[in-house]
Amino acid sequence: MSEVWVLGDGQLGGMLKDAGRRLGIPVRVVDPADIEAGERLAHADPLCITAEREHWPDTQCTRALLAHPRWRNAPAFAALADRQSQKALFDQLGLPTAPWCPVSADADVESLREALGGEFLLKQRRGGYDGRGQWRSQLAREATLPLWQTEAIAERCIDFTTEVSLVGARNRAGDRVFYTLTENFHAGGILQISVMQPGRFAAWQAEAERCHARLMSHLNYEGVLAIEFFVTPEGLLINEVAPRVHNSGHWTQAGASISQFELHLRALTGMPLVTPLQPGCSVMVNLIGRDADRAALALAGTQRHWYGKQPRPGRKLGHLNFFHPQASEAARWLQALPLSPDFQASRAAALRSLAQWDNG
Ligand code: ATP
Ligand code: MG
């Protein structure tokens, strides 16, 4: 059977490969530096070519993948890989987003504060992740912007209630399915914990799906796409969009009948696209810079995913999933999990959310 090729051989590619194995769809992950893979493509006939990331180096291999007629979602990558064109697209489509502006060479802290009506962040247009490539005006000791100001956009600092994300998929026929909104808890710009509780954000689900559907239709998108939102008293604001499977959707491996990885492959290959069953509460905890303790694995219900990467401080090395029909049991697990002190605030916030919503 013909293969699905994935540009990128990180953990997302690895998990797409696992999902393909179960579905019976062979998935080949491709390192952008692999010259041989680029050459082999000239004689191969993949089912389709997708990507696990939106930034890649310009290599012989990536040029071959992008030039292939089976490369999917070219318009989405063109529009979304750069924060400036991404934000411009939200404005063009009338989608709510944090106020922003481009940054010229003569802009300074005061002029940007004035333009955006308060404190702001600079975000590098390309390549930032896990909060890297960001600069916050209220933390700045000097009035000067960083040297990379012209490669950034400026964005109003949002005083949000919480952060949620919507993972959904669309196929070529235009069918769409969505997961339930997931609540995300970050520290220092890096996602630590995601929690999905049915009904918790029911009031926002329709609006989030409307934004998601609008984007996917406009881009003629195929596969899984994720939108991160800020929840504010005035409504949802889009933070950013990822044209791929997403860290905040990892809970679906344990808590949904179809994981986001399987959903992506289904959508791309024309297999039936149905709304996954999501019958209870899910918690996902990222393993950042270190593995889980033995005590975490000794808790009943802990599902460990390990990416096999070289440990480094601040690096996402794996994640833990937990699923239970009851929020109180999800809270009990999260409470019992041995975590490093830098998870203290996000765990406390996640537990508050679980306690607040648990009505059973
Ligand atoms: P990732 O790719 O890991 O999701 P990133 O580095 O691309 O992250 P963002 O998602 O834009 O960056 O920002 C990371 C986090 O920083 C957000 O989840 C949020 O907690 C905070 N943040 C980003 N933009 C704003 C903003 N305008 N106001 C307040 N906080 C923000
Ligand atoms: Mg983000």
Side-chain angles (χ1 to χ4, degrees), residues 96 162-166 181 207-209 211-212 227-231 236-240:
T162 189
E163 293 184 74
V164 296
S165 58
L166 185 69
L181 279 167
E207 165 66 356
E209 290 185 9
C211 295
H212 201 294
I227 306 187
E228 298 174 12
F229 296 94
F230 299 127
V231 181
L236 293 179
L237 292 177
I238 297 180
N239 172 27
E240 59 171 353

Side-chain angles (χ1 to χ4, degrees), residues 5 34-44 60-61 64:
W5 286 37
D34 185 347
I35 296 172
E36 220 180 273
E39 283 166 357
R40 202 178 313 131
L41 189 58
H43 313 285
Q60 191 179 332
C61 178

Side-chain angles (χ1 to χ4, degrees), residues 172-205:
R172 184 165 286 194
D175 305 321
R176 295 183 292 252
V177 297
F178 302 99
Y179 291 102
T180 304
L181 279 167
T182 303
E183 191 171 12
N184 300 314
F185 302 92
H186 296 78
I190 184 162
L191 178 66
Q192 291 186 326
I193 300 173
S194 289
V195 175
M196 191 291 278
Q197 306 179 71
R200 171 80 171 91
F201 294 99
W204 300 116
Q205 185 80 26

Side-chain angles (χ1 to χ4, degrees), residues 323-339:
F323 164 81
H324 200 280
Q326 284 166 353
S328 54
E329 289 302 312
R332 205 190 306 270
W333 177 80
L334 184 58
Q335 181 80 66
L337 203 62
L339 289 174

Side-chain angles (χ1 to χ4, degrees), residues 104 218 278:
S104 60
H218 176 79
Q278 304 152 68

Side-chain angles (χ1 to χ4, degrees), residues 54 83 98-99 121 123 128-134 136 155-160 163 186-191 228 230 239-240 244 246-247 316:
E54 54 274 48
R83 281 190 194 275
L121 287 88
K123 293 185 177 180
Y129 67 99
D130 292 347
R132 287 163 221 218
Q134 293 191 3
R136 284 175 181 254
E155 193 177 292
R156 172 79 190 264
C157 203
I158 302 298
D159 188 15
F160 49 79
E163 293 184 74
H186 296 78
I190 184 162
L191 178 66
E228 298 174 12
F230 299 127
N239 172 27
E240 59 171 353
R244 54 172 167 78
H246 194 257
N247 194 174
K316 289 176 183 165

